[in-house]
Amino acid sequence: MTVRTRFAPSPTGYLHIGGARTALFSWLHARKHGGVFVLRIEDTDLERSTPESVNAILEGMAWLGLEYDEGPFYQTHRFDRYKEVVRQLLDAGHAYHCYCSREELDEMREAQRARGEKPRYDGRCRNRAAPREGVDPVVRFRNPTEGKVVVDDLIHGPIVFDNAELDDLIIARSDGTPTYNLTVVVDDMDMAITHVVRGDDHINNTPRQINILRALGAETPHYAHVAMILGEDGKKLSKRTGAASVMEYRDMGLLPEAVLNYLVRLGWSHGDQEVFSLDEMIELFDLNAVNKAASALNHQKLLWLNQHYFKTSPLEHVARHLSWHLGQRGVDPSTGPALESVVEALRERCKTLVEMADGSVIFYRDFEAYDAKAAAKHLTSAAEPALTALRARLTVLAEWTAAAIHDAVEQVAAHLEVGMGKVAQPLRVACTGAGVSPPIDQTLMLLGRERSLGGIDRALAHIAENRA
Ligand code: GLU
């Protein structure tokens, strides 16, 4: 049988890190087994679901590269189908109308509590012969009263529930709209889902869902309930401790493959291996090996992975992602040196694409002002001879290469009988505005001759002005 998995988010916010990991596990399982990955949008909560949130989920998945094979299917487009199944369950006697009012239910629960019992629906409408006039009933599922349901969870192992513990769940409200457990069951059945991967907050829904599936004569999928992700402090994730949206990870300057690698290791391991290419993840990932316990975020590890991918990915790949960050700064990367060469110069020095973009802007746009300290120290009358000599030599350099620039700087230093630093530092501040940059020869090479000479002229004018 073809493996079919699904990701079924409720569009009530962005795609957060926990949702992304559930999607990844589900996607990996499908990819590993030649299966199909379905995207289903569970938007039946009309008050909380928004189109913006659907877009945010799609955007997050696209950025991570978690492509789906079928969908997105929207539950709001399937109300007729849900009604049909509720009808089917009613007709077969697996469901019944319940006319109990809120007051009646409250009273019932109160009495149960008073007797020291767990509050639950007692099934009083199960065998009601006639409708109650003027009341729109809800529909309840007639849960079996005896026996056990075993959820053979791929992560947790078998979890046993007594049917006697499960009361008759509402599957359609009095206005006819279906409830969550019904829609999930109908969709998992119609979409022929073989493996349900989802958060372990759904464990308690699972025996109910299995009972409804059985009543419908449908196959029961395998279930894999994934533990939650904790903040760095080991506490439940909150906005403050990093319940970040996936797109925030992009904005922080991380590569999607670093985030995927990070996510896959939150709750899953393969020996002590930390770095997994996408192909390795697909090959090695195994739902059975996912950890039952919650796992905590670790920002340092994410940065470490990001740097690893900076160093090992093809330059053009990193360049493509850097390009977006430059665009965010209003810089058009087609107006300067090839981004690949910029990545090559900067990738060892940067942990994120944000740092890399900050360091690259000067190659595309003249800097606005000197770093005051660097200028005060290095752009003084003492630097004038070096800058003047550099200008002359760089103007006539036959080839604008890092090696040729390096030689020119060395020759000027030798000619003036000063250390390299006395030449290179003024040159650096002149051309970049700051006292730190990648090696000066690489920096000038990337800046290009015109911008470099322009920088020297600007610095000479600055020195003259300060003297006047
Ligand atoms: N829509 C549910 C949620 O976002 C998931 C339901 C499921 O995966 O079965 O929590």
Side-chain angles (χ1 to χ4, degrees), residues 236-290:
K236 206 170 161 201
L237 264 190
S238 71
K239 280 232 163 69
R240 206 176 34 79
T241 53
S245 114
V246 166
M247 301 322 284
E248 276 175 58
Y249 283 79
R250 174 195 61 184
D251 299 348
M252 277 156 56
L254 300 160
L255 290 168
E257 53 272 32
V259 176
L260 284 175
N261 194 150
Y262 177 63
L263 285 177
V264 83
R265 285 286 292 102
L266 284 174
W268 173 76
S269 56
H270 179 77
D272 51 13
Q273 188 170 339
E274 285 294 350
V275 178
F276 296 87
S277 70
L278 211 49
D279 292 322
E280 276 177 311
M281 276 186 220
I282 293 171
E283 189 196 326
L284 301 171
F285 181 74
D286 186 354
L287 280 174
N288 286 300
V290 172

Side-chain angles (χ1 to χ4, degrees), residues 6 8-10 40 42 180 184 188 196-198 201-202 209:
R6 57 22 167 225
S10 305
R40 180 166 86 218
E42 305 207 320
Y180 160 73
V184 167
D188 285 341
V196 170
V197 181
R198 62 184 173 196
D201 48 329
H202 288 290
Q209 293 181 8

Side-chain angles (χ1 to χ4, degrees), residues 149-161 194-196 203 206-207 210 214 220-225 288:
V149 189
V150 182
V151 180
D152 204 359
D153 194 276
L154 294 172
I155 296 171
H156 293 261
I159 312 172
V160 183
F161 294 85
T194 60
H195 293 77
V196 170
I203 286 186
T206 310
I210 290 178
R214 287 195 182 137
T220 311
H222 298 281
Y223 291 92
H225 287 99
N288 286 300

Side-chain angles (χ1 to χ4, degrees), residues 33-168:
H33 295 284
V36 172
F37 176 58
V38 177
L39 176 61
R40 180 166 86 218
I41 305 292
E42 305 207 320
D43 55 350
T44 54
D45 184 342
L46 301 177
E47 306 225 310
R48 295 178 61 222
S49 303
T50 64
E52 291 75 28
S53 169
V54 173
N55 282 342
I57 291 166
L58 295 176
E59 186 187 27
M61 291 177 72
W63 183 71
L64 287 171
L66 300 178
E67 79 285 4
Y68 42 89
D69 306 300
E70 290 180 18
F73 298 113
Y74 292 83
Q75 289 192 322
T76 44
H77 297 179
R78 290 174 46 78
F79 277 117
D80 287 346
R81 173 63 182 146
Y82 304 136
K83 285 210 170 105
E84 186 177 68
V85 174
V86 170
R87 189 73 257 162
Q88 187 187 332
L89 287 166
L90 280 167
D91 289 348
H94 289 304
Y96 60 91
H97 286 118
C98 166
Y99 295 85
C100 294
S101 65
R102 184 173 299 258
E103 295 72 40
E104 214 171 331
L105 294 172
D106 286 346
E107 236 170 72
M108 180 186 76
R109 293 196 189 103
E110 211 36 64
Q112 287 167 333
R113 272 191 215 107
R115 291 196 299 270
E117 294 169 13
K118 209 164 99 186
R120 60 205 297 280
Y121 182 66
D122 64 4
R124 59 181 65 182
C125 285
R126 273 188 159 220
N127 301 310
R128 170 183 280 283
R132 196 180 274 180
E133 287 309 317
V135 179
D136 288 327
V138 299
V139 179
R140 289 188 186 267
F141 176 66
R142 194 187 296 273
N143 200 78
T145 48
E146 289 170 2
K148 294 179 192 307
V149 189
V150 182
V151 180
D152 204 359
D153 194 276
L154 294 172
I155 296 171
H156 293 261
I159 312 172
V160 183
F161 294 85
D162 261 321
N163 270 325
E165 292 287 312
L166 308 170
D167 58 2
D168 291 348

Side-chain angles (χ1 to χ4, degrees), residues 437-452:
S437 79
I440 192 65
D441 46 359
Q442 261 183 38
T443 303
L444 262 64
M445 191 265 292
L446 290 171
L447 279 169
R449 192 187 316 247
E450 205 182 314
R451 239 197 203 109
S452 302

